[in-house]
């Protein structure tokens, strides 16, 4: 039997128009290092239309990729609106990936246009020799001269480019299944993998963010979105804010504790979102210079597990932490740790430290080592697999070939996380199937790092494992065997890596041994290495800049 | 460019499974006249599976219609889960429509099975001679003998029918566009018209109910759903409760002020939903027997305009009213009157008395008498037209023929409401297109006049209709219910209005009655009032200056 309901496509142009009209006065503020510079959703809507006209003049057609190389700021919010609404695809490039990875994703996504913050324009300019697909670079928050254009790339200045363009645009009618945005994850070994969000998945996810089981964003909220707009769509906040009429407070490039606390004092946000390492820093700063942050009705924390002590500390600030779990592949919200109603504080705490309750639209299952589905009993562990309307079913492949099918299992996404789930749906991650290092919300592949360390002629073999770090959650620890005792010099090896890796990936902790422990089949025994490290069995050398 | 997202069908079986699993202990309580009888979402889930097995054995196949002739109770909640989840279509029959209309809708929907409350089984039995399509009747909340079965109809008792059936069911994989439920509207002249909701529309609407811009339902809420489950899907509460884990308090057939207040005292709900006339009665009862109802964080009121005085009165009870607008054709939520943030109470009040802000997924436009679109300026009026993913695009037609195309306009639903909308999206209904009073070439809004008459402390309720007038074409006629017989004084009420209205708008014709006639869904039955007036059935008092 057929329903009589209208087709009702969930397309993001609707959010641009809606927020511009009914939340015309709601503010979007960006920290400039000294104060908040404020525009409104009305102005964002005007600029989105102008930007779409400008992009169309540059030849951007439906389906074309328009990339951003931007911090969280109002220009980025304009791009979030304009690019999908006009039918193009917003590719948010992570500012923190290596040059090699950046070149890879720009080529792989076949970006035609890149919008770049003036502050990072020199970095982008260095990639351009290797990215012939890029035709236009648009500099935001600074002059066009900030970008040293190679031949074949036309440079524009954002404000100049859109000036004079009409402030309305006849957005095309799109299928809600059309691509809206893409984000690459470097969470696995090998090349980064692209996830292509649809209008539908962005829209449904934004509704979940506005539901009380999500972040409960609503008009009257003011959201400090520290989580980068280049990382998993800033956890859905940009679209949810447009849907709900929540004001935005954007940190720009100022992600250190002092400016974050300054912008909190200035903007008095009611809600904030960032990875644990950010809050670790904020808390350390609050120990030095106390400040009332109780204007935050909630702090949403994800990206890696929140230490229990941090939750208690922020409870003390009357700015309670809500813990959540997700991945770039899951848009990202998969579970949120709102405790069941009616519990006393201590019992509720037991729920708040989990990765959270699986959300209604998200299906989850645990697959044991023998391939069988494990019960939700709060005890049985298995690899977490998920599916749902905002979960990716594949990685992007320009030629339609299947990319890394090993991550999917009968239509479910294999998360690579080993977990258990309680009977009432609360997820706890206990380990990872692969030995990735999660540091400050970003991934380092231990395998890649090992390979790089071992690429030095001085090194015989080297294993890398994740070790706990108060500030970053995890950091890499390198256990190396060198040829010459004179090469037991951590600073030297670190300098070797610095030629290839971004600074945040460089390991600080090193130990030199005669042999790396191995399993019976000759693989590095990482469990044993982690255990020995924890016991203090290694003579650890610290190398920092 | 294609998105990589999973298909992710939004089907209601997911909500049955989810609520059963993660909200297993959340309660669904039904008032039995003396106390609340409580089951859990866990038990509802078990019974939904059992009921699906039983229906399958009766021959119910995907797409078949299974009707309910039930009050709000746990059996109805089971049917809301089981019937759509198994791929059949839930047809909720309004218990208050005429015999003729009931027979019409049972035949038109081609119901194969009807689940009936024992208390209304005799009423249903009388229709059966005219509804040869019905094969099975299942009696809930009483013995099978409550239903006097005609030849050709097999009678079952619900608990007996499902006893022993398995408590799990392999729900079929369905398209989210498949029919899930249907509801007939009798809001227009002529035969009732059917709206067929899809799994998708029910799911998206439930998300909106859980969003803070909707009702903000969440775990910890306990919802007194007075609005019937046979009327516009109880405003989406049954599915939203399953999604959010909100407990339900169901009134059964006890819809009078005393039992409603008794079940509030017993269940201490945090949220309640009903039409204004219910709250009018509750308020009158609270005047007699005071009771603390401040456990209600919000009362959601829709179905007809809420008198300003009622909002102030419930503010006084610390149980604030949230006003909303919708129709059976819109699932029903179309707009909700959460005021903008940051206003003082009086300015906020000005927003709270509107029909509310148009919701993000709902598109609205105003079409003026000349067919042109009117601006959103809070002043220009036009017929309200809406479209969106939970708006019907047609009325149900068994043979696929178009039913009442006049209600649709280029893919938009014509609501029949005359309205204006502010620039920030707040809707105010001025009247029904057919209820405006045209007098001496000027328009009078019957709704505004009603609100003003009801703002007098002496008046319990009042309806205004247009009646013919030789001199002016039409004039308003007021049918009022007053608290004190001494207030049956038209001159006094006219004088009250004269403080606000221009003289030409003051009604001359008044009648005082014990109760204003209402439709099956509790709205003023203006057709009946006009007919009675024409027949001279009212004792009309003339009041002039």
């Amino acid at each position: 039997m057929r329903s009589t309901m209208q087709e009702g496509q969930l397309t993001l142009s609707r959010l641009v128009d809606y927020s511009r009209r009914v939340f015309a006065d709601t503010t979007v503020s960006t920290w400039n290092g000294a104060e908040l510079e404020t525009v409104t959703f009305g102005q964002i809507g005007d600029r989105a239309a102008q930007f779409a006209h400008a992009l169309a003049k540059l030849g951007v057609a439906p389906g074309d990729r328009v990339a951003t190389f931007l911090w969280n700021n109002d220009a980025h919010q304009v791009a979030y609106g304009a690019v999908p609404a006009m039918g193009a695809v917003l590719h948010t490039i992570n500012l923190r990936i290596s040059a090699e990875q950046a070149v890879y994703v720009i080529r792989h996504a076949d970006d035609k246009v890149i919008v770049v913050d003036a502050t990072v324009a020199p970095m982008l300019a260095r990639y351009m020799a290797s990215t012939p697909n890029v035709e236009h670079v648009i500099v935001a928050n600074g002059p066009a001269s900030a970008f040293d254009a190679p031949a074949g790339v036309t440079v524009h200045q954002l404000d100049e480019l859109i000036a004079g363009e009409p402030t309305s645009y006849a957005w095309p009618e799109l299928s809600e299944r059309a691509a809206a945005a893409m984000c690459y994850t470097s969470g696995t070994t090998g090349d980064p993998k692209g996830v292509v969000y649809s209008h539908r998945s962005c829209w449904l996810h934004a509704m979940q963010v506005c539901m009380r089981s999500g972040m409960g964003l609503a008009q009257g909220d003011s959201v400090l979105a520290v989580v980068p707009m280049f990382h998993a769509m800033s956890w859905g906040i940009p679209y949810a804010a447009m849907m709900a009429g929540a004001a935005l407070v954007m940190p720009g490039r100022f992600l250190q504790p002092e400016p974050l606390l300054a912008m909190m004092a200035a903007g008095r946000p009611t809600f904030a979102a960032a990875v644990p390492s950010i809050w670790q820093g904020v808390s350390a700063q609050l120990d030095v210079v106390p400040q009332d942050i109780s204007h935050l009705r909630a702090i949403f924390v994800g990206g890696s597990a929140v230490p229990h002590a941090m939750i208690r500390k922020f409870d003390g600030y009357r700015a309670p932490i809500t813990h959540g779990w997700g991945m770039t592949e899951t848009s990202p919200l998969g579970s949120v740790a709102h405790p069941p109603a009616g519990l006393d504080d201590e019992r509720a705490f037991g729920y708040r430290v989990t990765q959270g309750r699986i959300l209604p639209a998200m299906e989850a299952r645990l697959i044991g080592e023998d391939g069988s589905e494990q019960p939700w009993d709060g005890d049985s562990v298995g690899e977490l697999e998920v599916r749902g309307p905002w979960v990716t079913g594949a990685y992007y492949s320009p030629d339609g070939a299947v990319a890394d099918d090993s991550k999917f299992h009968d239509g479910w996404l294999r998360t690579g996380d080993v977990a258990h789930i309680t009977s009432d749906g609360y997820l706890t991650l206990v380990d990872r199937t692969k030995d990735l290092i999660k540091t400050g919300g970003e991934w380092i592949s231990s395998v890649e790092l090992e390979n790089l360390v071992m690429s030095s002629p001085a090194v015989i073999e080297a294993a890398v494992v994740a070790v706990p770090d108060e500030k970053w959650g995890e950091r890499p620890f390198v256990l190396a065997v060198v040829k010459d005792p004179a090469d037991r010099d951590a600073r030297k090896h670190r300098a070797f890596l610095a030629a290839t890796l971004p600074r945040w990936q460089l390991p600080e902790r090193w130990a030199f041994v005669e042999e790396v422990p191995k399993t019976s089949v000759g693989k590095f025994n990482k469990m044993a290495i982690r255990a020995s490290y924890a016991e203090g069995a290694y003579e650890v050398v610290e190398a920092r800049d």
Side-chain angles (χ1 to χ4, degrees), chain A residues 350-395:
Chain A
Y351 284 96
R352 291 174 64 202
V353 297
T354 70
Q355 267 68 28
R357 179 174 257 159
I358 302 293
L359 293 168
M362 186 73 54
E363 289 180 273
R365 66 181 184 188
L366 300 171
I367 302 298
E369 283 194 298
D370 62 354
S372 68
E373 195 169 336
Q374 301 297 304
W376 289 18
D377 57 11
D379 188 39
S380 302
V381 300
E383 181 177 358
L384 177 66
E385 298 189 346
V386 295
R387 66 177 183 188
W390 54 81
V391 176
T392 200
Y395 289 110

Side-chain angles (χ1 to χ4, degrees), chain A residues 145-330:
Chain A
S145 59
F147 185 82
D148 189 11
V153 176
T154 313
V155 186
H156 314 266
Q157 203 287 329
L158 179 62
D159 299 328
E160 292 165 15
L161 183 71
I162 70 173
E165 293 294 342
T167 55
S168 70
Y169 190 97
W171 306 120
E173 305 245 335
L174 301 169
S175 159
E176 67 185 30
R177 302 278 182 179
M182 63 192 302
C183 185
Y184 282 79
T185 174
S186 48
T188 54
T189 54
D191 291 325
K193 291 180 179 63
V195 173
V196 185
Y197 306 111
S198 63
H199 286 260
R200 169 187 165 97
S201 70
C202 292
W203 183 289
L204 291 173
H205 185 267
M207 290 183 86
Q208 176 63 69
V209 172
C210 296
M211 287 165 66
R212 282 177 61 205
S213 55
M215 301 185 193
L217 295 194
Q219 211 196 2
D221 270 328
S222 169
V223 183
L224 174 63
V226 185
V227 54
M229 293 171 81
F230 59 68
H231 175 60
M233 306 300 281
S234 195
W235 298 350
I237 290 168
Y239 292 130
M242 294 169 96
M243 184 177 275
L248 289 171
V249 179
M250 312 279 229
R253 64 191 160 88
F254 303 97
L255 302 174
Q256 302 74 32
E258 294 87 340
L260 287 174
L261 281 160
M263 67 190 85
M264 283 192 228
R268 296 187 66 76
T270 61
F271 193 90
V275 294
S277 54
I278 293 283
W279 301 113
Q280 204 77 272
V282 167
S283 176
Q285 176 66 12
L286 285 173
D287 286 347
V288 179
V289 185
Q291 176 178 324
D292 176 21
I293 60 165
S294 65
H295 48 79
L296 291 168
R297 66 167 177 81
I299 293 176
F300 199 90
V301 184
S304 53
V306 180
H308 294 203
M310 187 190 289
I311 296 183
R312 295 209 191 269
K313 194 145 192 185
F314 280 80
D315 282 351
Y317 302 141
R318 291 181 296 131
I321 283 176
T322 302
H323 195 196
W325 170 84
M327 306 167 70
T328 300
E329 290 87 338
T330 63

Side-chain angles (χ1 to χ4, degrees), chain A residues 79-201:
Chain A
Y80 263 67
V83 176
M86 74 181 292
V89 181
L90 179 78
H91 171 206
T92 56
I93 305 173
N94 190 328
L95 298 185
R96 298 208 185 99
I97 53 177
S98 65
E100 189 188 357
Q101 287 184 321
V103 166
Y104 176 86
V105 302
I106 291 167
R107 291 179 65 142
H108 192 260
D110 195 18
D111 297 325
K112 187 168 193 169
V113 176
I114 301 181
V115 190
V116 63
D117 254 315
T119 53
V120 288
M123 178 160 57
L124 182 68
R126 288 197 294 275
Y127 310 155
M128 288 291 106
S130 313
T131 57
N133 51 294
V134 177
E135 299 172 15
H136 300 275
V137 167
I138 302 169
V139 180
N141 305 312
S145 59
F147 185 82
D148 189 11
V153 176
T154 313
V155 186
H156 314 266
Q157 203 287 329
L158 179 62
D159 299 328
E160 292 165 15
L161 183 71
I162 70 173
E165 293 294 342
T167 55
S168 70
Y169 190 97
W171 306 120
E173 305 245 335
L174 301 169
S175 159
E176 67 185 30
R177 302 278 182 179
M182 63 192 302
C183 185
Y184 282 79
T185 174
S186 48
T188 54
T189 54
D191 291 325
K193 291 180 179 63
V195 173
V196 185
Y197 306 111
S198 63
H199 286 260
R200 169 187 165 97
S201 70

